[in-house]
Amino acid sequence: MITHPCLHPSLSKPSLSFLASSSPPFLQHLSFLPTSPLITKPVLVHSVKPLHVKWSSTNPTSQSHPDHAPSVSTLKIAIIGFGNYGQFLAKTLVSQGHIVLAHSRSDYSHVAKKLGVSFFLNPHDLCEQHPEVILLCTSIISTEQVLKTLPLQRLKRSTLLVDVLSVKEFARNLLLDTLPPDFDIICSHPMFGPQSAKQSWKDLFFVYEKVRIGNESSRVQRCEQFLGIFQSEGCKMVEMSCQEHDKLAAGSQFMTHTVGRVLDMLGLESTPINTKGYETLLDLVENTCRDSFDLYYGLFLYNKSALEMVERLDLAFDALRNELFGRLHHVVRKQLFENGEKVKSVRDSSYQTGAASAFSSNALRSQDVTIPYEFKGKILESVDDSSKLKIAIVGFGNFGQFLAKTLARQGHSVLAYSRTDYRDAAQKLGVSFFSDANDLFEEHPEVILLCTSILSTEKVLKSLPFQRLKRSTLFVDVLSVKEFPRNLFLQHLLPEFDILCTHPMFGPESGKNGWNELPFVFDKVRIGNDERRVARCNSFLDIFAREGCRMVEMTCAEHDWHAAGSQFITHTMGRVLEKLQLESTPINTKGYETLLKLVENTAGDSFELYYGLFMYNVNAMEQLERMDFAFESLKKQLFGRLHGVLRKELFGDSEKLEVLQEKSVKKNGAALSSSPESVKIS
């Protein structure tokens, strides 16, 4: 665990001469560094203005139709830093009729020409054009250097300078320290970019603080005209202090990028059985990995709350891992020492309880892994009498009732049994409920549908009176892990019973609006050759195909391999974030909204389900270790780079002097050895 308590004091200004007021917050509070006699007067960083959200009253059209854009007073705007983001903003500025100039160290003159922008390689030439607004679109790390190289003396004294950095206190202090007092200052953050706003800016957040605006009506009006650019595009205009922004952004923007980069290090790939939750993680990775590491490092280095978020994420992951291993330790102890039994090996004990797959990658794994393919069963408009099944649901909790609703609607005869009395719920669904499993099985259902939890499945299965069933009964499970129930069925069911292992990869929440295009995975583990038994299996699968499910046939081994990389990781990340108690903010990004929805979806499931995913999927431990390694690697990247910055600031000059002295000694020594005097001496 990495802790730096000395980095947390809330100082408004740095105490280091080489950092000035614009230095990274992490470096500002290191107590072992020498203080400077040239400390400037601290600047208040917390605005007294309350949070104000200004909703656009216009109904802007798409940016692709500039002729129909709302009317905005024309400004002469100079963009400093004409990379991807500068070009992204310039496109809209030009479409609104503003005069746009640009300067960048790289030559973007050809791009500028296409956009209708005047490009200047020399900043002096640009500043002599006297733009009304200077729009800083530089990276966080390069902003200070770029700002100090600008010939500010060539600008009008009342020029408005605006930044669009993702961190705000750093930018605010830098602008106040660097700019002449005559300049107006707006610190802003358009909380979107080329990817998230490629369709339009409507309903996307634009955060700003009027740090310093002159009292003259012309300067006040110019400020409002600039803000009107974003308001006219439909942005949600949020006025808040830079300090408040950074506090909220550390919990949203920085956390989103951190999670995205950890997942990117895992090398996540789309699978044939993606859940909705896993799809959101893939989208998150795609959105965050497009940004440079410099942007992420800047979010970390220049936001004083970022280190706390890293530590909290670290603690949350450790807590979840300890919770899993603590439960595992309890299970192992119970198996080894319960009832005074002699100590057995962990593998033998776990094999007898059906949990061998949690400990051995070779035990009871399916021998063949097939390529998934779409189910081609015949789908009828309505279920005829010959296709109707008598289905007994064992385990009539939330998921059992969720499936029963559709089964009954399709006209199947549905029976149910559960240890808890769900008689009232069953009656509402048109299901016959039995409180005694013997009574249920004497009804001779054609299909036994096990909807129990992963942890209780073995106990429930062993308690069922199989002798009361017909010998050709079809057993189906719907567990989130597949090799475990497959092995359990093969071990405990009579050889006459048919076995179908399935996983509807959706639930009451994700399937509340229908099952269309949601994956249904199945493995025909053991189906008799009799035509009637084959038809019964297909009739059961037709239930889901008829609802529009994407039917995917694959072995249980293949399922668990994919699920460990998708379902288990999705639940793990959701539970880690749940421990952070993330809350919605007034400035949520799309990525942060994804994290909040992930927490909401996974928190609705019991810990027993998550523990079952861990315990009964042989690949889960590997994925947990990979996630831990990815997070540790990301921390090393961040702190390694921070260490480099510190060394440069602390020892840069002395190290340069030592290098020069060494070179001088070597040069003089070489010259001495080649001189005539040295030859004579030798």
Side-chain angles (χ1 to χ4, degrees):
M1 185 62 57
I2 302 174
T3 56
H4 297 283
C6 61
L7 302 183
H8 291 299
S10 299
L11 301 179
S12 59
K13 297 289 289 181
S15 57
L16 307 177
S17 60
F18 57 81
L19 296 176
S21 63
S22 57
S23 300
F26 289 110
L27 307 185
Q28 292 177 14
H29 314 310
L30 294 178
S31 56
F32 61 83
L33 296 175
T35 57
S36 168
L38 301 176
I39 300 176
T40 56
K41 184 178 179 181
V43 178
L44 181 65
V45 296
H46 194 357
S47 172
V48 296
K49 298 177 182 178
L51 176 64
H52 177 60
V53 181
K54 186 183 296 183
W55 298 90
S56 174
S57 59
T58 60
N59 184 23
T61 57
S62 171
Q63 294 181 42
S64 61
H65 296 83
D67 294 339
H68 299 91
S71 176
V72 178
S73 300
T74 302
L75 292 170
K76 182 187 284 188
I77 303 173
I79 298 176
I80 306 297
F82 203 57
N84 288 337
Y85 200 79
Q87 295 170 28
F88 165 69
L89 293 181
K91 184 178 179 181
T92 296
L93 298 179
V94 172
S95 73
Q96 289 188 8
H98 299 287
I99 300 170
V100 184
L101 321 175
H103 161 70
S104 200
R105 287 174 295 181
S106 301
D107 187 356
Y108 290 112
S109 54
H110 60 293
V111 178
K113 187 175 180 181
K114 291 179 181 178
L115 293 174
V117 174
S118 301
F119 187 81
F120 297 83
L121 272 174
N122 191 322
H124 290 265
D125 295 335
L126 178 135
C127 290
E128 286 175 352
Q129 297 294 317
H130 288 174
E132 299 167 87
V133 180
I134 297 291
L135 185 57
L136 270 169
C137 294
T138 52
S139 69
I140 301 174
I141 295 175
S142 66
T143 296
E144 182 175 6
Q145 180 185 357
V146 171
L147 189 61
K148 288 181 177 179
T149 61
L150 288 179
L152 301 176
Q153 72 278 7
R154 300 196 181 281
L155 295 168
K156 285 187 176 181
R157 289 168 294 172
S158 61
T159 303
L160 169 62
L161 203 139
V162 184
D163 84 284
V164 292
L165 296 187
S166 301
V167 291
K168 298 270 56 86
E169 278 197 279
F170 160 67
R172 181 184 192 277
N173 292 336
L174 178 63
L175 295 176
L176 286 171
D177 285 351
T178 307
L179 297 179
D182 313 283
F183 281 44
D184 287 349
I185 301 172
I186 295 178
C187 284
S188 75
H189 182 196
M191 300 196 69
F192 49 87
Q195 182 65 22
S196 57
K198 56 186 175 184
Q199 302 300 328
S200 77
W201 300 359
K202 183 172 173 55
D203 291 333
L204 300 176
F205 287 107
F206 181 88
V207 183
Y208 66 96
E209 180 183 2
K210 300 174 183 177
V211 177
R212 187 173 65 201
I213 303 297
N215 294 325
E216 293 91 335
S217 60
S218 60
R219 297 169 76 166
V220 173
Q221 184 180 4
R222 178 182 60 189
C223 171
E224 296 302 324
Q225 288 174 356
F226 178 80
L227 295 175
I229 293 170
F230 299 88
Q231 186 175 357
S232 66
E233 294 294 325
C235 290
K236 294 178 180 178
M237 308 296 289
V238 182
E239 185 173 8
M240 64 168 56
S241 71
C242 292
Q243 184 184 49
E244 185 71 8
H245 168 280
D246 284 2
K247 182 180 179 181
L248 296 172
S252 58
Q253 193 178 17
F254 177 72
M255 182 58 66
T256 302
H257 277 262
T258 300
V259 171
R261 287 190 172 273
V262 167
L263 295 173
D264 185 41
M265 288 181 173
L266 294 177
L268 301 187
E269 296 180 352
S270 183
T271 76
I273 54 173
N274 291 350
T275 60
K276 284 187 175 180
Y278 188 61
E279 288 285 356
T280 62
L281 293 189
L282 293 177
D283 290 341
L284 181 64
V285 171
E286 183 180 359
N287 289 335
T288 52
C289 72
R290 290 174 184 268
D291 297 319
S292 66
F293 187 82
D294 282 350
L295 169 62
Y296 175 62
Y297 178 66
L299 292 173
F300 168 71
L301 191 60
Y302 293 101
N303 189 329
K304 66 177 64 175
S305 303
L307 179 59
E308 179 187 353
M309 296 308 298
V310 172
E311 292 175 343
R312 288 182 62 203
L313 187 61
D314 202 2
L315 285 170
F317 186 77
D318 284 345
L320 182 64
R321 186 171 48 188
N322 291 338
E323 201 172 352
L324 283 174
F325 292 164
R327 182 77 70 92
L328 180 62
H329 178 260
H330 174 73
V331 170
V332 173
R333 282 189 58 83
K334 184 177 180 181
Q335 294 298 329
L336 290 174
F337 306 115
E338 190 179 46
N339 300 324
E341 292 179 356
K342 294 180 179 180
V343 176
K344 301 177 181 180
S345 69
V346 171
R347 176 172 292 188
D348 289 343
S349 175
S350 61
Y351 180 87
Q352 291 172 9
T353 60
S357 59
F359 297 95
S360 171
S361 60
N362 296 318
L364 296 177
R365 284 183 63 87
S366 300
Q367 297 302 312
D368 299 315
V369 177
T370 61
I371 300 175
Y373 69 94
E374 300 298 321
F375 178 67
K376 303 297 183 181
K378 185 178 180 181
I379 302 174
L380 303 175
E381 290 297 325
S382 60
V383 183
D384 57 29
D385 291 338
S386 63
S387 299
K388 289 180 180 178
L389 298 170
K390 182 187 284 189
I391 303 172
I393 298 176
V394 176
F396 203 58
N398 288 337
F399 198 78
Q401 295 173 32
F402 168 67
L403 293 181
K405 185 178 180 181
T406 297
L407 299 180
R409 176 172 54 78
Q410 288 190 9
H412 300 285
S413 176
V414 184
L415 321 175
Y417 160 73
S418 199
R419 288 173 294 181
T420 304
D421 188 354
Y422 290 113
R423 197 179 311 275
D424 293 340
Q427 187 176 4
K428 292 178 182 179
L429 294 171
V431 174
S432 301
F433 186 81
F434 295 82
S435 56
D436 189 324
N438 288 280
D439 296 335
L440 174 77
F441 279 25
E442 285 177 353
E443 295 293 320
H444 286 174
E446 299 168 85
V447 180
I448 301 295
L449 183 58
L450 268 136
C451 294
T452 53
S453 69
I454 300 174
L455 299 182
S456 66
T457 296
E458 181 178 9
K459 182 179 180 181
V460 171
L461 188 65
K462 287 181 177 180
S463 70
L464 296 178
F466 300 127
Q467 71 278 6
R468 303 195 184 281
L469 293 171
K470 286 186 176 181
R471 288 168 296 173
S472 61
T473 304
L474 170 62
F475 273 77
V476 183
D477 85 285
V478 290
L479 296 188
S480 301
V481 292
K482 295 272 55 80
E483 283 202 276
F484 165 62
R486 175 187 183 276
N487 296 333
L488 198 62
F489 280 169
L490 290 172
Q491 187 176 356
H492 293 287
L493 294 182
L494 297 174
E496 292 86 3
F497 288 142
D498 286 350
I499 300 173
L500 178 65
C501 287
T502 78
H503 182 195
M505 300 197 69
F506 49 88
E509 182 63 28
S510 57
K512 60 185 176 183
N513 297 318
W515 302 355
N516 191 47
E517 289 302 319
L518 297 177
F520 181 89
V521 183
F522 65 96
D523 183 5
K524 298 176 182 178
V525 177
R526 186 172 67 200
I527 305 296
N529 295 325
D530 183 276
E531 185 178 338
R532 182 178 55 83
R533 296 168 76 165
V534 173
R536 178 182 59 190
C537 176
N538 288 334
S539 293
F540 180 82
L541 293 173
D542 274 342
I543 293 170
F544 299 88
R546 186 174 291 106
E547 296 296 320
C549 289
R550 184 162 55 85
M551 308 296 289
V552 182
E553 182 173 11
M554 64 169 56
T555 66
C556 293
E558 182 75 357
H559 168 279
D560 283 3
W561 172 257
H562 288 307
S566 58
Q567 194 177 18
F568 179 70
I569 284 180
T570 302
H571 277 262
T572 299
M573 192 55 71
R575 289 191 172 272
V576 168
L577 295 173
E578 182 190 7
K579 290 182 179 294
L580 296 178
Q581 297 181 329
L582 302 183
E583 296 180 352
S584 183
T585 76
I587 53 174
N588 291 351
T589 60
K590 286 187 175 181
Y592 189 60
E593 289 284 358
T594 297
L595 296 188
L596 293 177
K597 288 178 182 177
L598 178 64
V599 172
E600 182 182 355
N601 290 336
T602 53
D605 296 318
S606 66
F607 186 81
E608 280 67 27
L609 168 62
Y610 175 62
Y611 176 69
L613 292 174
F614 168 72
M615 184 71 173
Y616 295 103
N617 188 331
V618 67
N619 305 294
M621 180 68 81
E622 177 189 350
Q623 292 297 336
L624 196 65
E625 291 174 351
R626 290 182 64 222
M627 189 175 292
D628 188 20
F629 180 77
F631 185 51
E632 291 300 320
S633 298
L634 185 62
K635 285 194 298 182
K636 286 179 181 178
Q637 272 186 281
L638 287 174
F639 292 113
R641 195 157 178 178
L642 178 62
H643 179 260
V645 172
L646 278 172
R647 283 195 59 82
K648 184 177 180 181
E649 299 296 349
L650 287 171
F651 310 115
D653 293 338
S654 60
E655 287 182 347
K656 287 179 183 177
L657 181 60
E658 290 177 3
V659 171
L660 290 174
Q661 288 175 341
E662 289 177 3
K663 287 183 177 179
S664 177
V665 170
K666 289 180 181 179
K667 183 177 180 181
N668 291 336
L672 182 63
S673 63
S674 61
S675 64
E677 288 77 6
S678 64
V679 174
K680 289 179 182 178
I681 293 172
S682 61

